[in-house]
Amino acid sequence: MNTFEERLLVELKNVVAERAEMAPSRRPRRNVRRFALAGGLVAAAAAIAVAVPPLLGEEDVAQANPVERRPDGTVVVHLREFTHPEQVEARLRKVGVPAQVNFLPSGKQCKEPRATFLDGRRTEGLFGDETSTPSNEVVIKPGLLKPGQTVVLDVWAKLKGDRVESSIVYPDVAVGQVGPCKPVGHGPVVGDDGVGDGPGSIEEERRRLPY
Amino acid sequence: MVGAKEGLARIGRDPAAFEEFYRRHIEAVSRFVARRTDDPHAAADLTAEVFLAAIDSAHTYRPAAGSEIGWLYGVARNVLAAERRRAARERRAVGRVAGRRLLDAEDIARLVERIDAESAGRRLHRALAGLPEGTRALLELIAMDGLTVTEAAAALGVRPVTARVRLHRARKLLDGLVPEAGLALAYAKEGA
């Protein structure tokens, strides 16, 4: 470290020492709202007086891919089977989320362009805290969707016969018309631990380099 | 040694813990900043601001969300984005610790050297400027700052698989557009 960096360290340690002397409640804090609900769905339904009733009755639980609406309005798609994506779309429409859901086998992708997609920053928050969402769930905050926007869920599975060995969901938002998904090749290849890339991919290009 | 989560949370109230954290990351932060500014005084201010932001938000770190590095780079990105917005409104960045007033002539010379050393990164930064935001943010962190895909995903608050799919989609955009990015991506380490 050079002298500037040493001096900066001294000043910053003073800042930390001052903070340590402040009572915890007086330390400046970010406003972090937490939506997490403890326990299962039954507990959630009973715990809080709700303006919006939870939408997951007995009949829904038996469904292959139930769509749950939590008391705070958050919508959660539970993905369990790779059948009938149109049913998932219908359930999402019922809770106010226009959606296109595609179940794609490993190595395939939807032919582009099929829509204009929002780029990453502008979908921030819409899909909840993605890093802590289980990989077989999609969290959607319908309040953050604007008119004319459609949630597009591309879901990949590594299939062994009929069985889903592993699956990945890639959520995105399209603006305006969304064309149908025509599966074509050169899509992401699903490995045991998530998406890798197949032929023509970043990994393959790296392997081809002479370095 | 305490677990990572406890260690990071303590940097906001334990000067010794902060010092350890600072020494581990000062060079990486300084280079991150040097790739994004060509003025040594601004670089000094921004370096100070990044660590101040880390002190203030250490309590929000969640180990499940990814590595310490990914978290810190996320903080650094937010600081620089906020500074860009301030600069756009033509207000000077004034923090509790104004880094620039700690500079002497030798420090400035060293910072200028560091900025020069990162000039390739800055060229890349400019070349990436036209890409869609989500993809550009990822590529910056991977191609310019040398993060793994997993670390970059943590910095942006997305799942690693989301990052990989975005990169996959951007690959065709990149072919021919930014040769350095393509090469740099070829070296992108795949972390855990």
Side-chain angles (χ1 to χ4, degrees):
Chain A
M1 294 203 312
N2 58 38
T3 48
F4 158 70
E5 288 168 353
E6 292 286 350
R7 280 185 225 118
L8 179 58
L9 174 59
V10 168
E11 297 250 352
L12 291 170
K13 280 171 75 174
N14 288 339
V15 169
V16 173
E18 278 167 20
R19 284 181 106 252
E21 280 164 26
M22 285 162 69
S25 58
R26 291 186 56 220
R27 287 190 202 122
R29 279 189 172 291
R30 282 173 195 233
N31 186 23
V32 178
R33 296 183 63 205
R34 299 230 134 88
F35 292 106
L37 295 171
L41 299 166
V42 171
I48 311 165
V50 298
V52 175
L55 187 76
L56 193 63
E58 275 172 18
E59 169 213 312
D60 296 312
V61 167
Q63 288 165 348
N65 297 305
V67 170
E68 172 199 353
R69 183 169 57 197
R70 294 195 172 141
D72 66 1
T74 302
V75 167
V76 182
V77 182
H78 299 268
L79 293 159
R80 297 179 190 154
E81 287 183 22
F82 267 61
T83 54
H84 301 296
E86 73 283 354
Q87 287 177 2
V88 182
E89 290 175 359
R91 286 173 207 142
L92 281 169
R93 253 197 315 277
K94 241 167 73 172
V95 293
V97 178
Q100 183 192 80
V101 179
N102 303 301
F103 290 159
L104 296 155
S106 180
K108 297 282 192 197
Q109 60 184 336
C110 298
K111 186 161 196 263
E112 302 290 355
R114 68 185 138 137
T116 304
F117 291 102
L118 289 191
D119 60 57
R121 285 293 286 276
R122 284 182 280 159
T123 63
E124 256 175 43
L126 179 64
F127 296 113
D129 178 2
E130 291 189 53
T131 54
S132 58
T133 306
S135 62
N136 59 352
E137 284 180 15
V138 181
V139 169
I140 301 167
K141 306 244 163 111
L144 296 177
L145 266 182
K146 299 193 166 50
Q149 291 182 346
T150 304
V151 167
V152 175
L153 301 178
D154 288 345
V155 191
W156 280 271
K158 189 173 172 214
L159 299 171
K160 195 166 190 146
D162 282 341
R163 203 164 58 85
V164 172
E165 274 203 348
S166 55
S167 67
I168 281 98
V169 183
Y170 181 50
D172 209 335
V173 178
V175 181
Q177 287 270 55
V178 183
C181 175
K182 295 190 175 78
V184 295
H186 299 294
V189 171
V190 181
D192 293 326
D193 56 352
V195 156
D197 295 308
S201 66
I202 292 166
E203 273 87 353
E204 170 154 309
E205 280 159 14
R206 175 171 38 177
R207 277 194 292 277
R208 279 197 328 230
L209 288 174
Y211 324 105
Chain B
M1 184 174 161
V2 296
K5 174 178 164 62
E6 244 188 78
L8 194 70
R10 278 170 48 214
I11 69 167
R13 49 191 156 81
D14 176 352
F18 174 76
E19 172 158 0
E20 191 188 279
F21 176 85
Y22 178 92
R23 287 182 185 280
R24 252 200 322 275
H25 298 302
I26 177 63
E27 178 163 345
V29 169
S30 176
R31 290 167 125 181
F32 177 94
V33 168
R35 286 177 208 117
R36 291 163 171 84
T37 181
D38 49 20
D39 167 40
H41 298 90
D45 282 342
L46 288 167
T47 302
E49 282 295 336
V50 169
F51 280 101
L52 282 168
I55 287 166
D56 279 343
S57 56
H59 64 280
T60 69
Y61 173 68
R62 292 179 318 277
S67 65
E68 189 173 291
I69 287 272
W71 175 83
L72 181 58
Y73 274 72
V75 168
R77 290 189 69 250
N78 291 338
V79 166
L80 266 75
E83 167 53 24
R84 275 195 293 273
R85 289 193 292 269
R86 274 200 294 264
R89 294 194 298 262
E90 293 185 298
R91 272 165 46 201
R92 253 196 66 212
V94 176
R96 278 164 288 168
V97 176
R100 65 180 63 202
R101 68 173 170 69
L102 301 174
L103 295 171
D104 64 23
E106 272 184 39
D107 294 323
I108 292 175
R110 266 189 287 257
L111 263 174
V112 169
E113 264 176 39
R114 172 156 282 176
I115 286 169
D116 282 347
E118 301 297 334
S119 63
R122 272 202 311 290
R123 276 200 300 278
L124 188 55
H125 190 220
R126 284 194 291 271
L128 293 175
L131 291 176
E133 173 64 37
T135 306
R136 185 192 59 72
L138 262 180
L139 286 171
E140 260 191 34
L141 291 169
I142 294 168
M144 278 172 57
D145 300 306
L147 297 193
T148 65
V149 176
T150 304
E151 287 165 349
L156 298 175
V158 299
R159 283 197 286 253
V161 68
T162 303
R164 288 203 178 115
V165 177
R166 253 184 228 164
L167 286 173
H168 185 95
R169 284 187 178 182
R171 230 181 356 87
K172 295 216 164 73
L173 281 177
L174 286 178
D175 286 348
L177 173 68
V178 187
E180 302 106 311
L183 280 179
L185 276 176
Y187 293 122
K189 301 157 277 167
E190 293 297 339

